[in-house]
Amino acid sequence: MTRIIVDVMLKPEILDPQGQAVKGALARLGLAGVADVRQGKQFVIDVDTVPDDATIEHLAGTLLSNPVIEDHTWRVVEGADSAGASA
């Protein structure tokens, strides 16, 4: 099984209220020295046949992310275990 992992993050210039809320909570829970927190999302797609890079880029850049406010990266992991969601 092959896994395509797409990570999507808000662009640095976009405000991230959820990240700021987590940053505040971390401080209240005793984790000192946190400079910043940005939240994002990850898509894990298990495929039998890997599409070409252009197809993956098109899907990541149009369907899975909003290119106006988000950046994305993706990677292909060969021989991934489909039972787990982490790479």
Side-chain angles (χ1 to χ4, degrees):
M1 183 71 52
T2 301
R3 178 169 286 163
I4 301 167
I5 300 172
V6 180
D7 295 309
V8 179
M9 296 291 295
L10 288 170
K11 290 184 176 187
E13 62 271 17
I14 303 297
L15 295 176
D16 183 358
Q18 185 173 359
Q20 291 304 301
V22 170
K23 179 183 173 188
L26 291 172
R28 287 189 300 278
L29 292 171
L31 183 61
V34 177
D36 196 20
V37 175
R38 303 288 290 179
Q39 69 89 29
K41 54 191 169 186
Q42 183 179 78
F43 297 91
V44 179
I45 306 163
D46 292 328
V47 295
D48 293 325
T49 305
V50 181
D52 60 51
D53 289 357
T55 300
I56 297 171
E57 179 60 32
H58 177 71
L59 295 172
T62 58
L63 174 65
L64 303 178
S65 68
N66 178 343
V68 174
I69 62 169
E70 295 172 320
D71 291 326
H72 68 274
T73 59
W74 58 268
R75 62 193 179 280
V76 175
V77 180
E78 298 289 339
D81 176 14
S82 63
S86 61

